[in-house]
Amino acid sequence: MQAIKKTTRRPGRPIAGPDGQNDIREKILDAAEQMFGSYGWTATSFRDIATDVGINPAMITYYFRTKKNLIETVFKRRATQIADRWLQLLDALESRPKRPPTVYELMYSYLSVEFDMQKSGAAGEAFVKLQARIHNEIDDFCFRLRREVYDVATQRYIAAFERALPEIDPVDINWRIVFVIGGFLYMLAGGARLEDLSGGLCKIDDIDEVTARATSFMVGGMSAASTQYSHPHPKTTQPKAAKVKVATTNGELGRSPKAGKTLARKRTQRNQKG
């Protein structure tokens, strides 16, 4: 009788099945995306995610090792889709012969990608909340994520706005794109204050309306005349000239050469009288 060979596996390592390991991995990412977006990653543990998925927390460690790796994977999964879509739309606008993109077209394409993500379903809504959290954090980890995913596309849009608005100071264009980012992140995060401030006159549940109104407003801001601003220079005072003691003709210190000559002349006259 042939002996049965025993196999061992590390704790938490999943047993391969017909569904494959990718299915479990995607379920972990989906659950983490929802929880990170709603509660933040500090308040969300591996155990919380594992309970939601119905797995052992050790399986999350097996796939992602650390919470930072999990956050990065969750964020980049959809953020790269946004960046790629920006570049696709910009390429299409800039490839038109003799029809350079207008400021409105540039702004609409930039904003619509983000709002399309929001209206794509529950997963998209969870992601834009997570994205807002990533942008609000100031640590090096979140800065790196934003730079790696968004900088190339955003810098191309900045250059496109500069070409579309050659009369505007490029410094203003850079400032204004940051204001645009801050504006759409606020709306993506909820923007419920709009309903409160308007007394119920305005609603934010129509994403297409939000996109249209945001585009109109931000086109106006981007196209406004350059800001007349000069950096104030700190007051500077000329340092007082230091009093330098110099040697006189008789070797004394503290008097200038002219004063030294006058003193020597007077001494000579006194000696002659004497």
Side-chain angles (χ1 to χ4, degrees), residues 19-226:
D19 293 335
Q21 296 182 12
N22 285 337
D23 184 50
I24 298 175
R25 186 177 185 275
E26 288 301 309
K27 287 180 179 179
I28 293 171
L29 292 174
D30 290 342
E33 184 175 61
Q34 291 287 337
M35 292 187 174
F36 290 158
S38 297
Y39 311 116
W41 48 83
T42 302
T44 302
S45 67
F46 276 9
R47 184 170 296 279
D48 295 327
I49 299 169
T51 299
D52 187 76
V53 178
I55 59 174
N56 190 303
M59 292 182 69
I60 302 177
T61 303
Y62 167 74
Y63 282 114
F64 302 101
R65 298 185 63 186
T66 67
K67 185 182 282 190
K68 278 192 173 183
N69 286 343
L70 177 59
I71 296 168
E72 181 168 351
T73 306
V74 169
F75 175 71
K76 287 185 174 180
R77 183 173 61 155
R78 300 195 202 280
T80 53
Q81 295 176 10
I82 289 175
D84 290 344
R85 184 58 179 156
W86 275 337
L87 294 174
Q88 290 170 2
L89 292 176
L90 190 53
D91 286 341
L93 288 172
E94 293 184 328
S95 65
R96 299 182 313 199
K98 299 181 181 180
R99 282 186 59 206
T102 65
V103 177
Y104 184 90
E105 289 173 327
L106 291 171
M107 188 65 72
Y108 184 83
S109 67
Y110 192 70
L111 295 177
S112 64
V113 174
E114 288 280 356
F115 288 112
D116 284 348
M117 176 64 75
Q118 185 183 36
K119 69 180 183 180
S120 64
E125 290 179 3
F127 171 77
V128 295
K129 291 179 181 179
L130 170 62
Q131 179 184 235
R133 291 182 183 275
I134 293 285
H135 275 273
N136 285 334
E137 294 293 334
I138 59 174
D139 59 85
D140 292 340
F141 171 66
C142 291
F143 270 120
R144 178 178 64 80
L145 292 183
R146 298 199 297 271
R147 282 194 298 265
E148 289 180 358
V149 178
Y150 293 141
D151 275 15
V152 170
T154 301
Q155 286 168 354
R156 275 198 57 188
Y157 268 90
I158 291 172
F161 278 119
E162 290 177 356
R163 288 190 293 272
L165 295 165
E167 72 281 9
I168 304 300
D169 187 344
V171 173
D172 274 304
I173 300 294
N174 281 268
W175 271 101
R176 291 169 186 178
I177 199 70
V178 174
F179 296 149
V180 168
I181 293 170
F184 75 65
L185 285 174
Y186 175 79
M187 296 307 298
L188 289 170
R193 284 286 291 153
L194 174 64
E195 297 184 19
D196 294 338
L197 293 172
S198 67
L201 178 65
C202 304
K203 303 290 184 182
I204 61 169
D205 51 359
D206 186 342
I207 303 301
D208 292 333
E209 180 183 5
V210 174
T211 306
R213 293 188 182 278
T215 301
S216 177
F217 174 77
M218 293 175 182
V219 165
M222 186 65 76
S223 305
S226 297

